[in-house]
Amino acid sequence: MPSSQSGSERAGASQIQPATGKLGIMIPGMGAVATTFIAGVEAVRRGFAKPIGSVTQMGTIRLGKRTDENTPLIKDFVPLADLNDIEFTGWDIFGENMYEAAKTARVLDNEHLEQIRPFLESITPMPAVFDQHYVKRLSGTNVKKGRSKCDLANQVKDDIQRFKQRTDRQVMMWCGSTEIFLEQSPCHQSIEAFEKGLVDDDPAIAPSQIYAYAALSEGVPFVNGAPNLTVDIPALQELARRNNAPICGKDFKTGQTLLKTTLAPMFKARMLGVAGWYSTNILGNRDGEVLDDPESFKTKEESKLSVLEHILQPEIYPDLYKDMYHKVRINYYPPRGDNKEGWDNIDIFGWLGYPMQIKVDFLCRDSILAAPLVLDLVLFMDLAKRTSSLKGLGIQEWLSFYFKAPMTAPGLYPEHDLFIQSMKLKNTLRHIMGEDLITHLGLEYYD
């Protein structure tokens, strides 16, 4: 069991405000991932299901020595919001309620949906900020109208302020589609330049950036579940620090990349070479349709390709990884729906350069893997907002565990190794609670 002292009473612990009242979750993009997340939380609250895949709900954390046998659940160790205190709202370009949207997404079966149908029908999305220039393959009717991007940002701020009237704390979670590939431009370099860009309708400002600007302006933490260029720009990072509104990485790490960040550390740990890594996917949901557009795929490709280079460090291990060939493909295949399939062919080599192969066929469910990540991230970001030593940092690198593209301080390379990321996450929780960090040195057992 954890110590009987509260986190604020332990030596070295951060000051953490209690999770009292309602936590409001605001979601731009209420499609497959969002409806699966919302329906899942309600099913867990009613005792119909277990929160499988959620580190905050089912994960444990070791405190002290192995011989202490002190391994509480994470949710019993840190003061997270209770699932019963969560409320939902959001925006979508389609106006159907969450029951209808979940039926359209075809992730959850009728038995699950009918059990919570009235609850899902009670949540209807607000009109969304949308411009087809940034997502070519979609169009919708539930869309905000405005004189400028500044006007649209102010409308989102108004939506946030209304939601604040019935909730005590808020987190915004982008579950919208992948936007076209954008690079940083002059309007992204400062808050003042960004706000001028909003007034001038600068094409470098995409809808996801408008949502993020509105959230951070209101002091609301923002999470990006897609690979878009959103809060990874100086202007919004400055705004996050100024308003104590935490931000973190982008693009949920669910299927193929989850496997890469598990296998690649094994190759490097054992000093096995990699000659090539070919990855292809088939996906039939709305995300697959969007990624069928080359400009949106470019955004996703940049996120997926960076993982191996950072883990394997070819500049440090040129004999093993310098000439590695890495290719990623995503193919839209409507019959598959949300049940995507990822194939990996990995050509490795070992002692004396002899070649070997590994082939992986991962038949997974995209939204089923993403939904518990959404839950963990909103709970951890709310915790960061309430924690004195975390809320003013802006970037929450300790949450890299959940993303294909972790965010770091400028000039610092991201850590992609899943196991290092997990250690970073748990050691951060130990740190803010005033507990000793775990190093796994273990020499004290043999004194």
Side-chain angles (χ1 to χ4, degrees):
M1 295 295 292
S3 168
S4 60
Q5 290 179 299
S6 69
S8 61
E9 292 172 333
R10 297 192 188 101
S14 297
Q15 293 293 320
I16 305 176
Q17 296 176 349
T20 54
K22 293 291 184 181
L23 173 61
I25 309 304
M26 314 188 75
I27 306 176
M30 303 187 82
V33 171
T35 55
T36 304
F37 160 62
I38 293 171
V41 170
E42 182 65 7
V44 171
R45 292 196 291 206
R46 296 192 185 189
F48 297 155
K50 297 289 186 182
I52 296 171
S54 169
V55 172
T56 60
Q57 303 304 299
M58 303 195 77
T60 61
I61 183 167
R62 190 188 112 198
L63 305 178
K65 297 180 179 180
R66 280 179 278 169
T67 49
D68 293 340
E69 298 184 355
N70 186 7
T71 311
L73 288 168
I74 288 173
K75 67 178 182 177
D76 294 335
F77 173 59
V78 292
L80 299 176
D82 188 276
L83 297 192
N84 292 309
D85 294 330
I86 293 177
E87 291 196 16
F88 305 99
T89 192
W91 303 262
D92 200 88
I93 64 173
F94 304 104
E96 56 191 9
N97 65 49
M98 290 301 91
Y99 173 77
E100 295 166 338
K103 294 279 284 186
T104 299
R106 294 184 300 170
V107 177
L108 302 177
D109 59 34
N110 288 333
E111 179 184 357
H112 280 122
L113 293 179
E114 291 302 323
Q115 287 178 316
I116 53 175
R117 179 172 180 170
F119 172 77
L120 294 176
E121 288 178 332
S122 72
I123 304 172
T124 300
M126 296 175 282
V129 176
F130 180 74
D131 186 331
Q132 199 170 27
H133 170 71
Y134 301 95
V135 183
K136 298 288 196 299
R137 298 297 171 93
L138 296 184
S139 60
T141 56
N142 194 44
V143 176
K144 292 185 184 298
K145 305 294 183 183
R147 298 181 303 276
S148 66
K149 292 181 178 180
C150 181
D151 185 19
L152 293 172
N154 286 330
Q155 291 182 45
V156 176
K157 287 184 188 180
D158 291 341
D159 293 339
I160 295 171
Q161 290 165 6
R162 283 192 292 272
F163 194 50
K164 282 185 172 182
Q165 294 175 8
R166 69 176 205 259
T167 55
D168 299 276
R169 305 177 318 283
Q170 302 78 32
V171 174
M172 187 178 291
M173 167 65 71
W174 175 273
C175 289
S177 296
T178 299
E179 297 169 336
I180 62 172
F181 180 72
L182 294 175
E183 295 183 301
Q184 288 192 28
S185 77
C187 74
H188 295 141
Q189 301 311 306
S190 70
I191 298 174
E192 293 73 23
F194 189 88
E195 290 176 338
K196 183 177 186 300
L198 288 172
V199 172
D200 295 341
D201 280 339
D202 194 312
I205 299 178
S208 65
Q209 295 173 18
I210 294 174
Y211 279 105
Y213 169 78
L216 300 176
S217 296
E218 292 292 320
V220 174
F222 182 91
V223 184
N224 183 10
N228 316 324
L229 181 73
T230 305
V231 294
D232 41 337
I233 58 175
L236 295 185
Q237 291 176 23
E238 179 185 351
L239 190 60
R241 291 190 299 271
R242 177 188 294 182
N243 292 341
N244 291 325
I247 55 177
C248 49
K250 64 181 183 180
D251 202 3
F252 299 138
K253 180 161 60 177
T254 51
Q256 194 168 64
T257 306
L258 178 63
L259 289 177
K260 284 184 176 179
T261 60
T262 305
L263 290 172
M266 181 267 287
F267 297 142
K268 189 171 77 171
R270 293 291 296 266
M271 290 291 103
L272 294 171
V274 180
W277 199 313
Y278 181 82
S279 303
T280 189
N281 302 260
I282 56 175
L283 178 63
N285 62 11
R286 192 175 295 162
D287 192 35
E289 182 180 6
V290 169
L291 292 173
D292 204 36
D293 171 58
E295 291 185 87
S296 290
F297 172 71
K298 171 72 170 172
T299 306
K300 175 69 78 171
E301 184 181 37
E302 289 289 317
S303 174
K304 291 171 77 73
L305 283 174
S306 64
V307 170
L308 291 184
E309 182 176 349
H310 285 295
I311 293 176
L312 297 176
Q313 298 176 295
E315 70 284 358
I316 298 177
Y317 304 102
D319 291 337
L320 299 176
Y321 311 118
K322 181 176 181 293
D323 298 320
M324 179 187 68
Y325 182 82
H326 186 200
K327 177 67 72 175
V328 175
R329 286 285 180 262
I330 299 176
N331 301 285
Y332 179 48
Y333 182 59
R336 190 51 58 92
D338 199 68
N339 298 339
K340 68 181 181 182
E341 185 168 356
W343 299 310
D344 285 86
N345 178 86
I346 314 163
D347 285 281
I348 66 174
F349 55 92
W351 184 246
L352 306 181
Y354 280 81
M356 296 171 278
Q357 285 190 346
I358 297 176
K359 297 182 186 296
V360 180
D361 187 5
F362 189 13
L363 290 86
C364 56
R365 297 173 180 262
D366 197 42
S367 298
I368 294 297
L369 291 169
L373 274 60
V374 176
L375 176 58
D376 287 352
L377 283 163
V378 296
L379 294 180
F380 279 143
M381 287 290 270
D382 174 56
L383 174 68
K385 172 71 175 179
R386 292 183 280 110
T387 301
S388 60
S389 60
L390 297 178
K391 64 181 181 181
L393 296 176
I395 296 169
Q396 306 293 312
E397 189 188 346
W398 61 285
L399 295 176
S400 297
F401 178 75
Y402 294 100
F403 297 106
K404 293 186 184 75
M407 288 179 65
T408 66
L412 185 65
Y413 72 83
E415 189 58 73
H416 281 280
D417 184 317
L418 183 74
F419 306 102
I420 296 175
Q421 291 174 334
S422 177
M423 177 58 66
K424 181 187 290 287
L425 188 154
K426 291 189 175 183
N427 267 342
T428 301
L429 298 180
R430 294 182 183 105
H431 172 71
I432 65 174
M433 297 298 289
E435 296 285 346
D436 292 336
L437 306 188
I438 300 297
T439 66
H440 295 288
L441 186 61
L443 296 179
E444 69 274 15
Y445 300 116
Y446 301 94
D447 290 341

